[in-house]
Amino acid sequence: MPMFTGWRLSVLGIIVVGATAVLASSFNLIAGQKAVIMFILFVFFIGALESMELIKRRRKRK
């Protein structure tokens, strides 16, 4: 099994968290609206991490 790094790891994390949110809301472990809000916050968090990494890589090149 290949090691996921960079954006592939982010996409894999989003898929796993999304699937977990769907399963948790379908088993009534968490309200559907809360699951959606938490998923959106997670996607924003991953986006911020990816943006910071991109900025870091650009600064190293100069």
Side-chain angles (χ1 to χ4, degrees):
M1 183 171 170
M3 186 71 156
F4 290 107
T5 57
W7 65 269
R8 290 180 183 98
L9 182 63
S10 299
V11 170
L12 181 65
I14 289 171
I15 291 170
V16 168
V17 170
T20 304
V22 168
L23 288 173
S25 63
S26 67
F27 287 122
N28 291 327
L29 298 174
I30 190 170
Q33 291 176 336
K34 280 188 181 181
V36 170
I37 291 169
M38 288 172 52
F39 177 72
I40 290 170
L41 288 174
F42 180 76
V43 171
F44 284 155
F45 176 72
I46 294 296
L49 289 177
E50 287 293 325
S51 297
M52 288 175 16
E53 187 66 30
L54 181 65
I55 291 169
K56 181 178 163 185
R57 274 189 252 135
R58 285 185 181 172
R59 286 188 181 168
K60 282 187 177 180
R61 275 193 231 156
K62 291 182 181 181

